[in-house]
Structure formats: structure tokens, C-alpha cells
């Protein structure tokens, strides 16, 4: 009987060893010295550095002065170890929500000298947010976790992972982590989904409250609204001056307004697209003027 047990144990040991060899290796510990920005790869549970970040200088973001100042102040307080809030930037498309997050991170890191890293998590990986938070909690430095274009659709339950991560459970949110998100929706959910919950649930108010309360986890709501013609022209002029595009003022005004008309919108994104077209026609690269 003893020999049989020994043989069984040996077989189990060999089986366990074989399974260990087949298991994927643990991802390497992130090297936070490699870059200021990283992308979370939920599939392998690791952070990929971004050597060159696609962002604009904070001085080029016009028409949103008030929310810009609020976000920079919140980010600065967080970088300095003071209390700060999770932030939801919501509203009109193309008004610079994600650009402002990236520019604020760069500006605060530059002016405070703090070890402040920006970690981007994709919308489809929100389920893995608690795992990312746990990883960052054990790391030195301070981290802004950023999700661009965050929203949830019918039957999507991953918002519960976000609620858990923002609340932090019994341990609370890690002191060295803050969450920023952009969305076209103030409550992160489509209006028809909220109305459907209200009309079909046994207790409509509780069903709606469960989903709408997600946005309450953000201490700051920063609204972005469609810009006026003057604000749009200010954006265009700011870009043209920054990149040294030598164009007559009246021609720039007339041309940029015609561009906005063909697009059916005025926004920071439309202004940037116009500047790209203008620089191409002038045969100039978009490099800051000396």
C-alpha cells in the first residue's frame, strides 16, 4: 500500500511539474523609469512603455480655460501627495478632453518634478482595473490611470469592476493612484438604457440608481460644451502662431470658417484638422516655430 501511495505521489509531482512548464511565464515587473506614460496590457497583465506620447502643449488648448485650470490644480495636488479627486471629463466630441488629460500630466510633471506616471487602460479592459490598481499600489511613485471614451451599453456589467476599483473596497483606493476618464455621456450610460431600466424594473428607482451612481464615484465632473465661433478662431490662430504658419489674418479667418462649415461643427479637433490641411498646402511641417 505504501509503495502504491509513493508511486501516485511521484506521478502527481511529475504532472504538477509538467503543468508549471506549460504555464505562461509571469510578466516582468514594470520598469517605471522607461517612460512617463504606459499602456496596460490586460491579456498578459503588464505595462508597455510609450516612448513618444501623442499630445499637445497645454498652451495650445483654448476655449476650456476654467476646466483646464481645475484639472491642473487637481493633478498638481495629487502629484504633491495632497487629497485629490477622480475626474470625469464629459461632453461634446472633439473639444480636447483626452488632449487636456495628457497635457495636464505633462505640465504638472514638468513644474513639480514629481514622479507622476500616466497609465492608459482601454475601455474593453475595465474588468482588469482592480488588478492594475493592486499592481500600482505596490509601486513607488504616483499614477494617473486614464480611460478615454469610457461608456457602457446594455447588458454590460463591467461597470461594476470600475465601481469597485474607484471605491477601493475595504482597503480604499490606493493613495498613489487616481482615475481620470473621458466620455461623451455624463452618466456613462446611454439615455435609452436608463429609461429602459426605469420602465421594466420591479423597483425602477433602485435599478436606475445602481447604474447612474457610477458617475458619483468621480469627485470632479468637468463639462465640455460646443465652442463658439470666437473660441474656434482662437484655437486656429493659436495653432497657426505656434507652428509659424504665415497666413493673412482675414484669409485665415475666412478659410478656417469655411472648413468648419464643411465639417458641420466647430471644435478643437476640427481646428487641428484644418491646421493640418493648411500646413500641407503651405508645404510646412508641423514643428513649433523657433
Amino acid at each position: 500500500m505504501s509503495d502504491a501511495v509513493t508511486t501516485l505521489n511521484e506521478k502527481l509531482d511529475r504532472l504538477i511539474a509538467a503543468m508549471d512548464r506549460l504555464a505562461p511565464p509571469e510578466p516582468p515587473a514594470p520598469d517605471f523609469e522607461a517612460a512617463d506614460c504606459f499602456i496596460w496590457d490586460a491579456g498578459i497583465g503588464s505595462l508597455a512603455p510609450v516612448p513618444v506620447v501623442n499630445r499637445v502643449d497645454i498652451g495650445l488648448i483654448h476655449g476650456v480655460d476654467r476646466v483646464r485650470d481645475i484639472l491642473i490644480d487637481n493633478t498638481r495636488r495629487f502629484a504633491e501627495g495632497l487629497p485629490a479627486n477622480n475626474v470625469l471629463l464629459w461632453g461634446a466630441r472633439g473639444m480636447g478632453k483626452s488632449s487636456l488629460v495628457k497635457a495636464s500630466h505633462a505640465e504638472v510633471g514638468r513644474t513639480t518634478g514629481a514622479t507622476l506616471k500616466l497609465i492608459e487602460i482601454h475601455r474593453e479592459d475595465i474588468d482588469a482595473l482592480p488588478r492594475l490598481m493592486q499592481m500600482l499600489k505596490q509601486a513607488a511613485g504616483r499614477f494617473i490611470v486614464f480611460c478615454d471614451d469610457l461608456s457602457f451599453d446594455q447588458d454590460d456589467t463591467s461597470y461594476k469592476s470600475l465601481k469597485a476599483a474607484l471605491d477601493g473596497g475595504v482597503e480604499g483606493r490606493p493613495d498613489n493612484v487616481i482615475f481620470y476618464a473621458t466620455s461623451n455621456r455624463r452618466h456613462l450610460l446611454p439615455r435609452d438604457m436608463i429609461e429602459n431600466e426605469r420602465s421594466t424594473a420591479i423597483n425602477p428607482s433602485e435599478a436606475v440608481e445602481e447604474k447612474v451612481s457610477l458617475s458619483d464615484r468621480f469627485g470632479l465632473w468637468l463639462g465640455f460644451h460646443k465652442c463658439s465661433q470666437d473660441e474656434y478662431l482662437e484655437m486656429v490662430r493659436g495653432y497657426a502662431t505656434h507652428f509659424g504658419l504665415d497666413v493673412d489674418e482675414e484669409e485665415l479667418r475666412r478659410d478656417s470658417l469655411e472648413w468648419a462649415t464643411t465639417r458641420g461643427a466647430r471644435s478643437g479637433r476640427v481646428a487641428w484638422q484644418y491646421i493640418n490641411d493648411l500646413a500641407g498646402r503651405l508645404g510646412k511641417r508641423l514643428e513649433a516655430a523657433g
Side-chain angles (χ1 to χ4, degrees):
M1 182 69 175
S2 178
D3 290 342
V5 171
T6 300
T7 300
L8 179 59
N9 287 338
E10 290 174 348
K11 290 181 178 179
L12 287 173
D13 289 341
R14 288 196 295 272
L15 179 59
I16 293 171
M19 292 178 67
D20 287 340
R21 288 193 297 272
L22 292 173
E26 286 291 320
D31 176 13
F32 289 116
E33 298 298 321
D36 289 330
C37 299
F38 296 80
I39 295 178
W40 171 242
D41 187 334
I44 59 176
S46 69
L47 291 165
V50 182
V52 180
V53 180
N54 178 26
R55 61 184 167 204
V56 299
D57 185 86
I58 193 74
L60 290 175
I61 300 178
H62 298 283
V64 290
D65 295 4
R66 181 174 175 276
V67 294
R68 177 199 62 203
D69 293 344
I70 293 173
L71 184 64
I72 290 178
D73 182 60
N74 190 74
T75 306
R76 182 176 289 113
R77 284 189 278 115
F78 172 69
E80 294 173 347
L82 297 172
N85 278 302
N86 299 314
V87 183
L88 174 63
L89 300 88
W90 68 277
R93 299 189 304 272
M95 282 304 297
K97 297 185 292 295
S98 60
S99 294
L100 185 56
V101 170
K102 292 181 284 188
S104 297
H105 164 253
E107 177 70 8
V108 171
R110 182 183 65 82
T111 56
T112 66
T115 304
L116 182 65
K117 305 296 182 181
L118 183 68
I119 312 294
E120 182 171 6
I121 181 172
H122 296 306
R123 158 66 189 86
E124 58 270 20
D125 294 331
I126 284 295
D127 276 340
L129 182 58
R131 182 157 50 110
L132 172 59
M133 291 285 203
Q134 190 61 34
M135 174 191 291
L136 298 178
K137 178 182 180 180
Q138 301 167 9
R142 306 186 73 75
F143 303 92
I144 300 172
V145 176
F146 169 51
C147 184
D148 191 21
D149 199 20
L150 179 63
S151 62
F152 300 93
D153 296 319
Q154 189 74 33
D155 300 324
D156 187 346
T157 60
S158 61
Y159 72 90
K160 295 181 179 180
S161 296
L162 177 57
K163 289 176 70 172
L166 295 182
D167 284 343
V170 295
E171 294 181 333
R173 174 168 55 83
D175 290 337
N176 66 333
V177 180
I178 201 167
F179 188 79
Y180 287 1
T182 69
S183 179
N184 295 332
R185 303 167 180 167
R186 184 173 183 176
H187 291 295
L188 303 175
L189 303 166
R191 182 176 299 275
D192 59 348
M193 179 178 174
I194 296 175
E195 293 301 327
N196 184 62
E197 290 285 354
R198 183 176 283 117
S199 63
T200 60
I202 296 176
N203 191 324
S205 60
E206 287 185 4
V208 172
E209 182 68 19
E210 164 69 11
K211 292 181 169 61
V212 172
S213 66
L214 171 59
S215 57
D216 291 340
R217 268 64 178 180
F218 294 88
L220 281 178
W221 291 4
L222 302 181
F224 289 70
H225 309 288
K226 294 180 179 179
C227 64
S228 66
Q229 177 173 295
D230 288 343
E231 288 170 334
Y232 169 73
L233 291 172
E234 182 185 357
M235 296 173 190
V236 170
R237 284 192 294 267
Y239 281 132
T241 300
H242 181 78
F243 293 114
L245 303 181
D246 187 15
V247 182
D248 176 75
E249 175 71 19
E250 182 56 33
E251 180 183 349
L252 182 69
R253 182 182 188 278
R254 184 178 61 252
D255 200 27
S256 62
L257 288 177
E258 181 180 346
W259 179 273
T261 300
T262 62
R263 295 299 307 274
R266 292 190 298 262
S267 70
R269 180 178 297 147
V270 171
W272 174 246
Q273 291 166 343
Y274 166 72
I275 289 295
N276 273 270
D277 181 75
L278 175 62
R281 286 188 277 117
L282 294 175
K284 293 202 63 172
R285 296 184 182 277
L286 290 179
E287 299 171 345

